[in-house]
């Protein structure tokens, strides 16, 4: 990510913080490079188990050049897909957790390695691009079908 892209991504992310200046200051000085940001303002996050998330992301990236921001957590156990605000409250899906209004997400600083913790698989570009929930759902169904086929072999 370029310096300009990182700056735009940082500005987009901290715009949801209750105190953007304080958040930016802490984020840039925190050795872990993470901030706690509220979901439900500009974006929600749908959290998938890694075994479903990775094939879903693979399908999304085959369909789109840039699907929207995606996080992975410690040990790749879970992945967070950034979707439009309000999606988490309407989402119905087994094994999928939603982080929306009233929840907080650990978000790494864009473009900086966090030493094995939460990290961007696809960092935000600062433009506000999010993952289309309908496309995410289709990709999840295709990924789940692929996993089921592998289990039958």
């Amino acid at each position: 990510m370029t310096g300009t892209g990182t700056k735009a991504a940082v500005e987009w992310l901290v715009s949801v913080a209750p105190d953007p200046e304080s958040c930016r200051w802490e984020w840039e000085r925190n050795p872990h490079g993470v901030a706690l940001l509220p979901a439900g303002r500009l974006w929600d996050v749908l959290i998938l188990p890694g075994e479903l998330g990775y094939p879903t992301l693979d399908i999304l990236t085959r369909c789109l050049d840039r699907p929207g921001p995606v996080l992975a957590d410690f040990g790749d156990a879970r992945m967070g897909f950034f979707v439009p605000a309000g999606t988490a409250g309407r989402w119905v899906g087994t094994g999928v957790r939603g982080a929306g209004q009233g929840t907080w997400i650990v978000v790494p600083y864009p473009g900086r390695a966090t030493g094995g913790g939460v990290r961007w698989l696809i960092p935000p570009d600062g433009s506000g691009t999010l993952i289309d929930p309908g496309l995410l759902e289709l990709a999840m169904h295709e990924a789940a079908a692929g996993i089921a086929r592998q289990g039958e072999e």
Side-chain angles (χ1 to χ4, degrees):
M1 183 181 286
T2 66
T4 305
T6 299
K7 183 173 178 13
V10 167
E11 293 308 314
W12 180 72
L13 287 166
V14 301
S15 72
V16 302
D19 181 351
E21 285 303 313
S22 175
C23 175
R24 189 181 300 103
W25 187 90
E26 176 62 28
W27 208 359
E28 291 172 354
R29 285 155 185 81
N30 182 328
H32 300 291
V34 297
L36 198 57
L37 295 175
R41 292 185 183 171
L42 293 179
W43 39 261
D44 286 355
V45 180
L46 294 179
I47 303 165
L48 281 63
E51 58 270 8
L52 177 60
Y54 275 100
T56 297
L57 179 58
D58 184 50
I59 292 163
L60 284 173
T61 56
R62 281 188 268 138
C63 298
L64 302 168
D65 288 337
R66 185 156 183 83
V70 180
L71 290 172
D73 76 352
F74 308 96
D76 297 336
R78 288 177 299 279
M79 294 172 64
F81 292 78
F82 281 55
V83 293
T87 302
R90 298 185 305 270
W91 193 269
V92 178
T94 304
V96 177
R97 290 186 19 232
Q101 191 70 41
T103 60
W104 295 75
I105 296 290
V106 173
V107 179
Y109 189 91
R112 184 188 304 157
T114 58
V118 177
R119 69 189 188 289
W120 291 108
L121 298 176
I122 300 178
D125 61 9
S127 72
T129 299
L130 297 167
I131 297 168
D132 177 274
L135 188 57
L136 178 60
E137 183 176 15
L138 291 172
M140 287 172 55
H141 285 292
E142 186 176 327
I147 293 167
R149 280 192 301 274
Q150 287 175 349
E152 293 171 359
E153 295 174 356

